[in-house]
Amino acid sequence: LSWGEGFYFNAGDILFGSLEIEPDLTSEIFRTTGRWLASVTLPVGRFSFFEGAVLPPVPTSGRSGIDLPRISETTLGLRYVTKAGPVKIEAGDGYKGTDDLHEPYVGIQGNLVVDYHITAATSIPTAEPEWEDVADRIRISWGLFYLVPGLRESTLSFRLEGLVRPKGSWTDGEPYGILLYPEIMFSPIRSLSILLRSVVSPVDRSALSTAGLDWNVYQGFHILAFAAVQNGEMEDLFSWEKPGSLVFTGGFRFAF
């Protein structure tokens, strides 16, 4: 299930979570998690519906075999999606039994020259919630996307997404108050994609950047080539001095 909006950052993804930094910027899809679940959708209009989901807890492997979780560790979710004119509105709430937390969220998505979206979420402890704790857990994800028209077979797109934690760190240390994800993708022909992606930490002025190409040579066969580099000091989120500060990747992908 895909709840909320966002290619890299998505505060509305309360079922699986899409706020952690994904270091592999070569993926076609960043957030993919497989879980057993049951869901039901109830249409209440042409563009409106309710959707509920139940994710049972996952057994884990221990020294003595399989450890069965408690039923109280089940994850539950409910959302409502509708449209107000050209604007999509989405709101929901999730309960995580493992942490005994409610996670409400609300978001909008639309188009004003560029595609835009913004989503806000927080976490509320079930037992004795306090406003200060709720405010500390507020996170806001947003994004802009623009596809340059009129290029015939070629395509050029720009994307900028961000994650803001108002109560996060705005000087140093994690979690940082703001993170950005810029992306440029150019396809001179349908079978070739050239991209430049980054995760930028404006607080400490560090970044992880990836450039590369994906060449669809024939049907489901792709040739891939990427280079990634970190820029920053040792104490920053990204650094030249950390493992994986410079990475070159080449390979093939065949989908059949």
Side-chain angles (χ1 to χ4, degrees):
L1 296 179
S2 178
W3 289 13
E5 298 288 341
F7 181 69
Y8 191 85
F9 294 119
N10 181 3
D13 186 11
I14 57 176
L15 297 179
F16 300 104
S18 295
L19 298 180
E20 297 301 320
I21 294 175
E22 170 55 61
D24 181 10
L25 298 183
T26 66
S27 303
E28 287 186 298
I29 301 175
F30 290 117
R31 317 292 183 177
T32 54
T33 303
R35 283 283 303 275
W36 285 103
L37 61 85
S39 67
V40 60
T41 301
L42 176 63
V44 290
R46 187 176 179 183
F47 300 108
S48 304
F49 63 88
F50 285 96
E51 185 172 47
V54 179
L55 284 71
V58 179
T60 57
S61 299
R63 293 182 178 180
S64 58
I66 301 297
D67 295 331
L68 297 177
R70 296 173 297 175
I71 192 65
S72 60
E73 297 177 359
T74 297
T75 296
L76 306 173
L78 177 66
R79 70 166 175 165
Y80 175 65
V81 179
T82 189
K83 290 189 71 174
V87 179
K88 171 188 171 184
I89 302 173
E90 180 175 344
D93 180 48
Y95 173 74
K96 290 189 174 181
T98 52
D99 303 316
D100 199 20
L101 290 173
H102 279 276
E103 295 191 314
Y105 77 98
V106 61
I108 60 173
Q109 186 268 332
N111 179 277
L112 287 173
V113 182
V114 300
D115 294 333
Y116 69 87
H117 65 83
I118 182 169
T119 303
T122 188
S123 299
I124 304 175
T126 302
E128 301 179 359
E130 296 183 5
W131 167 246
E132 184 175 352
D133 294 334
V134 174
D136 288 344
R137 296 185 175 99
I138 292 176
R139 58 267 188 192
I140 302 168
S141 64
W142 54 270
L144 304 171
F145 178 79
Y146 183 68
L147 180 66
V148 178
L151 296 180
R152 296 186 179 181
E153 184 180 355
S154 63
T155 59
L156 175 64
S157 65
F158 300 88
R159 185 188 304 273
L160 176 62
E161 294 189 353
L163 171 64
V164 178
R165 292 185 174 96
K167 291 292 185 175
S169 173
W170 294 87
T171 54
D172 53 25
E174 298 186 60
Y176 288 90
I178 183 171
L179 294 170
L180 299 176
Y181 172 80
E183 175 190 279
I184 301 174
M185 183 173 293
F186 176 60
S187 297
I189 56 177
R190 293 183 180 180
S191 60
L192 179 64
S193 296
I194 302 170
L195 61 85
L196 176 61
R197 295 168 170 168
S198 296
V199 181
V200 181
S201 174
V203 174
D204 58 20
R205 297 181 297 278
S206 66
L208 166 65
S209 301
T210 294
L213 61 87
D214 182 335
W215 182 21
N216 184 191
V217 181
Y218 178 72
Q219 293 184 353
F221 181 70
H222 295 246
I223 295 177
L224 312 172
F226 294 95
V229 60
Q230 295 188 39
N231 179 39
E233 303 296 332
M234 185 61 191
E235 63 275 8
D236 295 339
L237 183 60
F238 304 106
S239 168
W240 267 109
E241 304 176 49
K242 293 183 178 180
S245 60
L246 183 62
V247 177
F248 297 97
T249 304
F252 308 93
R253 182 177 74 248
F254 182 58
F256 59 91

